[in-house]
Amino acid sequence: MRDFEITVPVREKQYDELTERERVLVDAARAATGGSYAPYSHFKVGAAILLDNGEVVCGANQENAAYPSGTCAERSACFWAGANFPGSKFEMIAIAAVGTDGEECAEPTAPCGACRQALLEYEKLAGHPVGVLLAGRNKIYCVPSVASLLPLAFSEF
Ligand code: THU
């Protein structure tokens, strides 16, 4: 028998501690919340993905009256990137959200389980860790890879 723990490495940074590349991506994710269509939850999420060709692809959550038909910001961004830049590799993703009070969420917004699974596939295609920036109003959590956000992931069949 063996017990073990899997930990998630997180570096918390202030906005002015981000690298230039990280700042650009967090700015893009924050701006992408403007594309959210969230008449049901009123929770606006934006995601921005930096590709290896230098493109920044953005997405926002798109809700639907038939609730499960909607899509999260992260999947709208990664599927759009996959469809429009096939073969390009993801370098980094940033996520930001505006809460029901209309203000950016104070706490960093983390992707849901389904989005982690979807992003993991693109990380595997990239062949290298894809950094994840979870933006909050006054702090940004920097996670070194999608895999570290999804321990014991399903990835083989
Ligand atoms: N949402 C995202 O866009 N990303 C996540 O990772 C979590 C949740 C969206 C889905 C829904 O439109 C709203 O936030 C409330 O759950």
Side-chain angles (χ1 to χ4, degrees):
M1 190 159 67
R2 186 170 83 93
D3 295 328
F4 64 99
E5 288 184 11
I6 302 172
T7 56
V8 179
V10 181
R11 176 169 291 169
E12 180 182 322
K13 289 190 188 180
Q14 302 293 309
Y15 182 78
D16 60 11
E17 294 175 313
L18 297 174
T19 64
E20 172 67 17
R21 215 164 79 121
E22 291 170 338
R23 255 200 305 272
V24 166
L25 213 57
V26 166
D27 289 348
R30 285 175 168 162
T33 61
S36 165
Y37 173 66
Y40 306 104
S41 73
H42 303 286
F43 189 74
K44 300 177 178 181
V45 186
I49 298 170
L50 173 65
L51 302 177
D52 63 345
N53 62 6
E55 290 278 345
V56 173
V57 169
C58 294
N61 57 326
Q62 303 296 314
E63 299 185 348
N64 191 274
Y67 291 177
S69 305
T71 305
C72 292
E74 298 87 330
R75 272 176 288 164
S76 86
C78 75
F79 292 156
W80 200 91
N84 289 282
F85 297 100
S88 67
K89 297 179 188 334
F90 289 17
E91 296 292 326
M92 209 188 293
I93 179 167
I95 300 157
V98 171
T100 51
D101 60 0
E103 300 290 330
E104 181 174 14
C105 294
E107 288 304 309
T109 298
C112 77
C115 287
R116 292 177 200 210
Q117 182 71 38
L119 290 168
L120 182 68
E121 189 114 358
Y122 291 98
E123 180 168 81
K124 283 184 172 290
L125 289 170
H128 56 241
V130 174
V132 187
L133 306 174
L134 311 176
R137 203 181 310 148
N138 295 313
K139 60 183 174 191
I140 294 111
Y141 289 168
C142 306
V143 182
S145 66
V146 176
S148 57
L149 272 182
L150 190 59
L152 304 179
F154 175 75
S155 61
E156 304 287 338
F157 62 89

